[in-house]
Amino acid sequence: MDKTSWQESDSDRLIHQLYQTMRLFAKTLNQKIAATGIYGSEWTILNLIHHRQDCAQTALSQYLGVEPAAISKTLTKMEKKGLITRVSHPNARGKFIELTEKGAQAHRDLSTAVAEHRRKALQDLPPEALQDLQDVMLQIQENLSSD
């Protein structure tokens, strides 16, 4: 498709590029780990729980910026796969998520593939460019969150 035929503003092209880049990132990550039966969204949750130990379901929702219903649906799928368990804590409301042994093993098995995918995505980008990109993305997020 000839991209010059579209009458988009610079900001429209930028936002389109952000969407396209993140779609491609998600698609290629899912392709890389597809044989494991785990999706990129599930990997994100596995990784967060691995690093935070027991994690409240509401904290996952807030950190990821995802609606609680969507997190609940993903967690239900992960629970059926035997990757996580939801437990009640006596001194806290809501459910806490913990990795099962199968989930911990999946995290170990996928860590290298995910790291390789990230290295490929960011290769040839100098540290200053990566920091600038992170700063810009954080500013966009703050701009949109300020309402």
Side-chain angles (χ1 to χ4, degrees), residues 6-146:
W6 293 90
Q7 299 298 314
E8 296 178 299
S9 67
D10 289 343
S11 62
D12 287 339
R13 281 191 293 279
L14 174 63
I15 298 302
H16 175 76
Q17 186 64 57
L18 286 170
Y19 274 121
Q20 293 301 93
T21 300
M22 288 315 303
R23 280 189 193 117
L24 181 59
F25 185 89
K27 177 183 174 184
T28 55
L29 177 60
N30 282 332
Q31 289 169 340
K32 188 161 189 70
I33 64 176
T36 67
I38 295 173
Y39 295 97
S41 59
E42 295 169 332
W43 160 258
T44 299
I45 292 171
L46 278 177
N47 195 44
L48 284 171
I49 297 168
H50 169 79
H51 289 291
R52 294 176 182 222
Q53 304 306 307
D54 60 355
C55 188
Q57 186 170 326
T58 53
L60 280 174
S61 176
Q62 290 169 350
Y63 180 80
L64 296 172
V66 176
E67 293 296 320
I71 287 289
S72 183
K73 184 177 178 181
T74 300
L75 292 174
T76 297
K77 288 178 186 177
M78 293 175 73
E79 202 168 22
K80 286 179 182 175
K81 292 178 181 182
L83 300 170
I84 58 136
T85 185
R86 297 185 225 202
V87 295
S88 298
H89 281 257
N91 299 328
R93 290 183 56 210
K95 296 286 186 175
F96 283 73
I97 314 305
E98 295 177 351
L99 293 182
T100 61
E101 181 50 44
K102 183 177 180 181
Q105 184 62 50
H107 183 270
R108 288 189 293 274
D109 293 345
L110 288 171
S111 290
T112 300
V114 171
E116 287 173 6
H117 180 259
R118 290 180 180 172
R119 271 193 296 278
K120 181 178 180 182
L122 302 175
Q123 74 185 3
D124 301 325
L125 296 174
E128 306 81 33
L130 294 174
Q131 185 60 56
D132 289 346
L133 178 59
Q134 184 170 358
D135 292 345
V136 167
M137 297 302 289
L138 284 170
Q139 184 62 57
I140 292 170
Q141 190 173 4
E142 285 178 26
N143 292 347
L144 294 173
S145 299
S146 65

